[in-house]
Amino acid sequence: MRLRTPLALLGAAVLVLAGPPLLSSGDDSDSGTQIPGLRFMVPNTPGGGYDITARTAAKNAEDAGLTHNIEVFNLPGAGGTVGLSRLVSEHGNGKLAMSMGLGVVGAARSNHAPKTLTDATPIARLTEEQDVVVVAKDSPYKTIDELIDAWKKNPGKIPVGGGSSPGGPDHLAPMLMAQAAGIQPKSVNYIPFDGGGELLASILGNKVGFGVSGVGEYLDQIKAGELRVLAVTGPERVDDLEDAPTLKESGYDVNFTNWRGIVAPPGLSEAQRTKLTRLFEELHDSPEWKKSMDQNGWDDAFLTGEEFGDFLEAQDARVVSVLKELGL
């Protein structure tokens, strides 16, 4: 026993010395995708597009074994700019990422936010999707033409709700729709909500004349018959909504799609940025993510790194240009 005890101690010492490399899957410098303590921030309320995207990505990443125990939390306010400000303040934090999209680009502009997406680290653009024009099941409007005919007669008396601030997708889509219908965008009574989850209750309660939001946010309610979809805003009909015409085929020259992606705090090391990007690259290629995209009606729009950064700059310029064109 006296001979075995020193050997056992020596073996334990070797294991301790060997331990760190074996457990380094969470280290910024390794080549895996495991990021212990990873958190996804959602800059709007539960049930909105950013929320659905973040929670879907977290579950799919865990189911695929890419990383574990991702925390998803909501920090709503000012169209996503409260969350953006928090993100930018987390300088060098490689364990935090934020779900975002065109809505945050527009909100940063319309709210004159002190921080913009150019202050964040671009990680990946994930999806693209069309908006839907929806009403409650008991709405008097059965078709897009019936809605627009009533809207043209008195634009201010038919409020339109959207899950984004002015300048965001749910604001730009109905403004472009109004312009195509011969309605002055300035006369539109647009009511912003902090995400599609907040907007839903007002549509169902007929507190707005109609709502505009992403396909994935309201697909379940449409299928359940709680919402009636009158049109989609993109170039072609959506597979799960074959009866819903595009605005263009209905005679309104609008072709509009939204997108969503992931950004991280500024000041990340090259290793931190590479690891977060790799996580989303492997998520993008996973069968779990592909299945979720089909179920939510999302189109693949994957883009990473500098290309995504360039895209964000172009989107900012696009928002400014469209708002000026619409006189807003």
Side-chain angles (χ1 to χ4, degrees):
M1 292 295 293
R2 289 181 180 178
L3 288 174
R4 294 176 64 185
T5 300
L7 289 174
L9 292 172
L10 178 61
V14 170
L15 286 173
V16 169
L17 290 172
L22 293 173
L23 299 174
S24 65
S25 60
D27 191 294
D28 290 335
S29 63
D30 75 7
S31 58
T33 58
Q34 297 290 330
I35 307 177
L38 179 61
R39 307 175 78 209
F40 286 169
M41 183 199 302
V42 177
N44 63 9
T45 53
Y50 302 149
D51 187 70
I52 294 170
T53 301
R55 293 182 191 279
T56 301
K59 184 178 187 305
N60 288 170
E62 291 176 358
D63 289 347
L66 300 177
T67 193
H68 300 284
N69 300 320
I70 301 172
E71 178 190 350
V72 181
F73 68 101
N74 298 77
L75 186 62
T81 56
V82 170
L84 176 60
S85 179
R86 163 73 179 277
L87 183 86
V88 173
S89 73
E90 296 274 346
H91 192 276
N93 185 354
K95 298 179 183 293
L96 179 65
M98 186 177 84
S99 175
M100 46 70 70
L102 180 57
V104 178
V105 178
R109 278 289 177 182
S110 61
N111 294 332
H112 305 289
K115 301 297 182 182
T116 69
L117 286 165
T118 58
D119 295 304
T121 300
I123 299 299
R125 185 183 69 185
L126 298 176
T127 64
E128 184 178 46
E129 71 170 341
Q130 303 193 38
D131 269 357
V132 286
V133 181
V134 292
V135 295
K137 62 182 179 181
D138 56 350
S139 167
Y141 310 118
K142 302 294 193 296
T143 67
I144 188 65
D145 285 332
E146 288 180 1
L147 169 64
I148 289 183
D149 285 346
W151 198 24
K152 288 172 75 172
K153 290 175 182 175
N154 200 331
K157 286 195 174 180
I158 300 182
V160 51
S164 61
S165 295
D170 298 351
H171 171 250
L172 294 178
M175 292 303 166
L176 292 170
M177 183 173 143
Q179 184 184 52
I183 300 169
Q184 286 294 326
K186 285 184 177 181
S187 68
V188 173
N189 181 10
Y190 177 76
I191 301 177
F193 294 82
D194 208 352
E198 272 193 9
L199 169 62
L200 179 61
S202 289
I203 301 173
L204 294 175
N206 288 304
K207 294 180 180 178
V208 294
F210 66 101
V212 177
S213 197
V215 171
E217 292 175 76
Y218 291 159
L219 196 55
D220 288 345
Q221 288 80 10
I222 293 169
K223 288 182 176 180
E226 297 174 7
L227 294 177
R228 181 186 304 133
V229 57
L230 302 183
V232 296
T233 64
E236 55 189 33
R237 296 194 180 202
V238 176
D239 287 343
D240 288 329
L241 303 172
E242 292 90 349
D243 293 337
T246 67
L247 287 171
K248 196 154 191 173
E249 71 180 273
S250 301
Y252 309 102
D253 191 13
V254 176
N255 182 356
F256 182 88
T257 55
N258 187 18
W259 56 269
R260 296 192 180 95
I262 300 292
V263 293
L268 299 192
S269 68
E270 183 67 20
Q272 288 174 318
R273 185 187 61 77
T274 298
K275 192 164 192 178
L276 270 172
T277 303
R278 184 184 298 115
L279 171 64
F280 283 97
E281 286 174 341
E282 297 203 17
L283 172 68
H284 169 259
D285 293 336
S286 71
E288 290 84 356
W289 180 249
K290 294 181 189 299
K291 181 179 179 181
S292 291
M293 287 184 60
D294 287 340
Q295 290 176 337
N296 286 289
W298 296 337
D299 294 322
D300 189 10
F302 196 65
L303 200 63
T304 62
E306 290 185 7
E307 289 183 322
F308 181 38
D310 292 341
F311 172 80
L312 288 176
E313 290 184 8
Q315 287 292 286
D316 183 60
R318 176 194 179 201
V319 166
V320 173
S321 175
V322 171
L323 289 176
K324 284 182 178 178
E325 180 186 343
L326 295 174
L328 302 172

